[in-house]
Amino acid sequence: MATAKVVYASMTGNNEEIAEIVEEALESLNVDVETTEISQADPADFEDSDICIVCSYTYGDDGDLPDEAVDFYEDLKDIDLTGKVYGVCGSGDTFYDDFCKVVDDFAAVFEQTGATKGSDVVKVDLSAEAEDIEHLEKFVSEIVAKQSAL
């Protein structure tokens, strides 16, 4: 059975909800999932999982990392995740010019780790609506399919 580690950062609860949607979709595909808030996680935890997923929000006008995600983000750069499959999703507010910039930032760091991209990133405007849930479920199924093919 494949294993997945889902790490999330959530200020308003939107990304916690997204992480739960991702977790449920993974479980429906018979993946053993562990979900952790980012301040309680260590990037080295990804080394013990087949699938690595980050759900994060973008903070402020300049598209900043959440304070609680900075150490995780920096430490992720030093991990070798060759043979793992990753995905990144998150919510933001389209009011800001740098809508969901942190989602793209995490995807770029995952590329540096040697992990394989499992799916295109998913960006949600504020909270997940029905269409967003469909996108997240497709995101998960693509990641699981990519992991199965490795």
Side-chain angles (χ1 to χ4, degrees):
M1 176 185 288
T3 60
K5 176 76 175 176
V6 178
V7 176
Y8 71 92
S10 189
M11 179 187 291
T12 62
N14 291 339
N15 279 287
E16 183 174 11
E17 178 186 6
I18 289 169
E20 290 170 0
I21 293 164
V22 167
E23 179 180 24
E24 289 173 11
L26 285 162
E27 288 173 342
S28 75
L29 296 171
N30 298 314
V31 175
D32 185 24
V33 186
E34 181 182 337
T35 302
T36 308
E37 202 281 323
I38 203 162
S39 66
Q40 305 299 312
D42 184 318
D45 297 341
F46 283 144
E47 295 174 331
D48 298 326
S49 298
D50 302 308
I51 296 169
C52 313
I53 297 176
V54 170
C55 306
S56 183
Y57 66 95
T58 301
Y59 186 75
D61 295 339
D62 297 324
D64 295 327
L65 282 165
D67 288 343
E68 68 271 25
V70 172
D71 289 342
F72 186 92
Y73 177 85
E74 292 298 326
D75 292 345
L76 182 59
K77 294 176 182 178
D78 299 326
I79 302 291
D80 180 1
L81 297 176
T82 303
K84 312 293 183 186
V85 176
Y86 78 87
V88 185
C89 56
S91 74
D93 188 337
T94 54
F95 172 81
Y96 294 106
D97 292 336
D98 289 317
F99 172 67
C100 286
K101 179 180 174 290
V102 168
V103 170
D104 295 327
D105 293 344
F106 266 109
V109 170
F110 269 120
E111 285 290 323
Q112 296 174 19
T113 68
T116 300
K117 179 180 177 179
S119 180
D120 290 336
V121 299
V122 175
K123 298 177 180 181
V124 176
D125 185 20
L126 302 174
S127 62
E129 303 294 333
E131 185 176 343
D132 299 309
I133 293 169
E134 288 176 22
H135 290 143
L136 289 164
E137 289 171 345
K138 180 180 180 216
F139 164 83
V140 168
S141 66
E142 289 174 353
I143 290 170
V144 171
K146 180 72 80 169
Q147 189 280 323
S148 296
L150 288 183

